[in-house]
Structures are given as C-alpha cells and as structure tokens.
C-alpha cells in the first residue's frame, strides 16, 4: 500500500494524526511508571540531561512503525515513521523535545522546533515570525508530515535532590493548522520567550500550556507523581 502524500491531507486528518501521536507519547510516559521519579531522584546528572535520557528510554521501549530514514533537527528525539490509520498510511517526521523546569506554566522553544508562524504582540510590537521547520518535511525524495511535541518534566529540589512532580506532554500544531490555533497576534497560545534582542540573542517563544489546552483540551496531557504511594496519577483527557 502506497503511503498517502501528506500534502493532500485535510486539516482534520492532520489533527487526527497529531492526536494519535500524542496518545502514543502519553502511553509511553505512563507505561514508564514511577521509574522516571526514581531516575530524577538518583541521577547525579544535570536535570536537562536527566529529562533527555528518560525521554529517549521511554520512547525506545514503545514500538512503532519506523522508516529507515535519517531525520535532522534541533530536538532531542527525531524519528521518521509511518502513522497507520484505518484507511491509509502516512509518513511522519516526528520531533520531540524534552524540558526540565521548576514550573509547568509554559515551555520555551526555538524557532527551529516549530513549523508555525509565531504571531503575538510583544512589548507593543506585532510579531509574525515563521518557524524554521517545514510543514511537510522531505527526505529521500518523499514527503513526511512534520509533527512536533514536548515532554516537560517539572521537579523541585530538596537538599540538593531532584524530586519529579509532574510531566506535561503537549502537541504543537503543524503550521497548516495556523488559522485554527494562531490566526492573529491577539489569538494564539504563545508567550514571550526568554531572549534579549538587544544582545543579539535568537528569537525564542514559550508555549503556554493553558492557552494551548483552551484551544484543544487533548493537546496538553499531564501525569502527577506521588512518591509516598509510589505511583503516577493521570489519564488521557479529551
């Protein structure tokens, strides 16, 4: 069966593929269980490195339909894969980045980690910056639907020991869904990034988990870790 050309996908089909992908990632995090908490607790590494190691391990444990094609990008996890739908197969370039912070209101991303335009008002100035990822990636002469997701680890420190509190999993919309999720500077889910233009720093932006969830509740999922009961709490929210 020849995979469907991702350029011909409808907006609803792209939405369905992104939802299916986030379910897959959520299940991987859920199945990893309390082990993520233990790794944060016992690892001597920096929290960013811990988050990246956990993400790679939990995703590698969950099987998928991978394509033997190298994908390039500035994220922690990159994979060319097939998305198997009831009536068709679609090639996907999956980009997943890990974050580790002491708050879970938002997550900073680089423009090389999204295919959307960032439309927002920043300090009274309208911004309309295009993400560097293409909406449809091309590898080996074939088109792949670009899909970007985040796995955000929130932790707190106690006597120098890292305690994992929550994991937030989010799906950033493909640029083809621009008019649905960020049509204007006054209608979107972005927050100002932590970059200083006066110092020549690259433009960055933050994803507001609340604003993204208000747009589509399924796009932001959360798991809470309870060390006393040695369990992670959470279920898929549609």
């Amino acid at each position: 069966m020849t995979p469907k050309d991702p350029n011909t996908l409808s907006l609803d089909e792209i939405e369905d593929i992104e939802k299916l992908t986030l379910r897959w990632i959520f299940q991987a995090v859920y199945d990893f269980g309390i082990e993520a908490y233990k790794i944060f607790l016992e690892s001597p590494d920096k929290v960013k490195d811990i988050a990246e190691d956990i993400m790679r391990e939990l995703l590698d444990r969950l099987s998928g339909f991978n394509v033997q094609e190298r994908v390039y990008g500035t994220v922690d996890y990159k994979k060319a894969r097939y998305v198997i739908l009831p009536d068709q197969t679609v090639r996907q370039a999956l980009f997943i980045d890990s974050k580790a912070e002491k708050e879970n209101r938002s997550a900073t991303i680089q423009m090389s980690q999204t295919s959307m335009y960032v439309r927002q008002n920043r300090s009274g100035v309208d911004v309309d910056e295009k993400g560097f990822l293409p909406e449809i990636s091309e590898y080996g002469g074939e088109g792949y639907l670009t899909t970007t997701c985040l796995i955000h680890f929130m932790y707190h420190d106690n006597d120098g020991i890292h305690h994992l509190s929550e994991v937030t999993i989010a799906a950033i919309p493909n640029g083809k869904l621009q008019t649905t999720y960020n049509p204007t500077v006054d209608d979107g889910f972005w927050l100002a990034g932590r970059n200083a233009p006066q110092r020549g720093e690259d433009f960055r932006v933050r994803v507001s988990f609340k604003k993204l969830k208000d747009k589509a509740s399924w796009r932001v999922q959360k798991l809470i870790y309870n060390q006393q009961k040695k369990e992670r709490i959470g279920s898929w929210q549609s």
Side-chain angles (χ1 to χ4, degrees):
M1 179 179 178
T2 302
K4 182 171 183 176
D5 180 357
N7 289 287
T8 66
L9 291 169
S10 69
L11 299 186
D12 285 343
E13 288 174 322
I14 293 174
E15 193 95 7
D16 287 344
I17 290 170
E18 293 184 341
K19 189 172 186 178
L20 179 62
T21 301
L22 195 68
R23 274 188 177 274
W24 175 76
I25 298 170
F26 176 85
Q27 193 64 51
V29 178
Y30 187 87
D31 287 350
F32 204 70
I34 201 67
E35 191 171 346
Y37 183 95
K38 294 177 180 176
I39 295 173
F40 256 85
L41 195 67
E42 298 171 2
S43 176
D45 295 335
K46 295 178 180 179
V47 288
K48 171 59 179 169
D49 295 333
I50 298 172
E52 184 176 343
D53 288 344
I54 292 173
M55 184 195 67
R56 289 181 182 280
E57 186 171 347
L58 66 86
L59 291 175
D60 286 343
R61 289 187 184 186
L62 197 65
S63 61
F65 302 94
N66 296 329
V67 180
Q68 297 306 307
E69 187 70 53
R70 186 175 295 277
V71 171
Y72 298 94
T74 58
V75 296
D76 298 329
Y77 185 93
K78 306 171 284 289
K79 190 73 70 175
R81 45 196 308 269
Y82 292 113
V83 178
I84 309 299
L85 301 171
D87 299 320
Q88 61 192 0
T89 299
V90 179
R91 292 187 182 90
Q92 178 189 58
L94 178 61
F95 300 88
I96 308 175
D97 205 45
S98 63
K99 309 289 181 181
E101 299 178 293
K102 292 183 178 180
E103 60 88 25
N104 67 345
R105 186 174 72 97
S106 63
T108 299
I109 67 167
Q110 304 172 41
M111 296 305 290
S112 58
Q113 296 173 341
T114 181
S115 62
M116 296 190 72
Y117 280 88
V118 172
R119 292 172 177 159
Q120 63 177 178
N121 186 282
R122 189 176 291 196
S123 301
V125 178
D126 287 352
V127 172
D128 191 11
E129 291 277 342
K130 177 67 172 72
F132 298 158
L133 284 177
E135 297 164 351
I136 306 298
S137 301
E138 186 171 319
Y139 298 99
E142 302 288 354
Y144 291 76
L145 178 68
T146 300
T147 304
T148 54
C149 297
L150 300 173
I151 302 179
H152 181 282
F153 298 85
M154 186 179 78
Y155 69 97
H156 67 273
D157 287 337
N158 188 355
D159 295 328
I161 304 299
H162 306 310
H163 296 264
L164 181 61
S165 303
E166 297 180 6
V167 174
T168 301
I169 307 107
I172 302 175
N174 181 279
K176 287 184 176 291
L177 300 172
Q178 186 80 43
T179 56
T180 301
Y181 289 93
N182 183 210
T184 69
V185 297
D186 299 315
D187 186 2
F189 57 90
W190 306 109
L191 300 173
R194 299 181 180 94
N195 63 288
Q198 66 273 19
R199 293 203 297 267
E201 294 180 355
D202 291 340
F203 182 87
R204 294 193 178 200
V205 69
R206 286 182 292 152
V207 176
S208 167
F209 293 136
K210 180 182 183 306
K211 288 184 175 182
L212 182 57
K213 192 173 183 67
D214 286 345
K215 287 284 186 180
S217 59
W218 65 264
R219 283 193 176 269
V220 179
Q221 304 291 329
K222 188 172 294 186
L223 290 169
I224 300 172
Y225 290 80
N226 186 321
Q227 173 60 9
Q228 282 70 37
K229 295 183 179 181
K230 291 184 170 52
E231 64 181 1
R232 58 1 192 171
I233 304 165
S235 58
W236 176 267
Q237 302 296 314
S238 293

